[in-house]
């Protein structure tokens, strides 16, 4: 089973993180959340094979890792 969720609104999808401008406090919070995601992957013996800002969406002040199916 593949479960997918849409991030965005009716007019636009959520942007990839690489295309988002963040103020330093926002960037720090997002960075910490990304590290929490990496810890979660590692605790389940997984590594995202292409973890980059191109595989992260930014929506409503949160980062969402996508293409998790690339984990090994």
């Amino acid at each position: 089973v593949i479960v997918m969720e849409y991030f965005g609104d009716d007019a636009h999808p959520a942007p990839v993180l690489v295309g988002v401008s963040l103020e330093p406090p926002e960037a720090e919070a997002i960075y910490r959340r990304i590290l929490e995601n990496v810890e979660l992957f590692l605790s389940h013996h997984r590594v995202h094979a292409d973890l980059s800002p191109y595989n992260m969406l930014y929506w409503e002040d949160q980062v969402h890792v996508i293409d998790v199916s690339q984990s090994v």
Side-chain angles (χ1 to χ4, degrees):
V1 173
I2 296 175
V3 178
M4 296 174 61
E5 183 176 353
Y6 176 77
F7 294 102
D9 58 26
D10 291 339
H12 304 339
V16 291
L17 187 59
V18 72
V20 176
S21 295
L22 300 171
E23 295 297 321
E26 295 171 301
E28 183 178 349
I30 292 302
Y31 179 70
R32 289 178 191 272
R33 182 63 180 138
I34 292 167
L35 290 179
E36 289 172 7
N37 278 296
V38 169
E39 288 176 0
L40 182 62
F41 290 142
L42 294 175
S43 72
H44 288 88
H45 308 288
R46 296 285 179 256
V47 175
H48 193 294
D50 188 17
L51 188 63
S52 73
Y54 292 96
N55 281 325
M56 297 179 197
L57 302 177
Y58 185 74
W59 188 249
E60 296 181 343
D61 300 324
Q62 294 185 14
V63 67
H64 304 276
V65 177
I66 62 172
D67 286 340
V68 178
S69 61
Q70 295 185 53
S71 66
V72 291

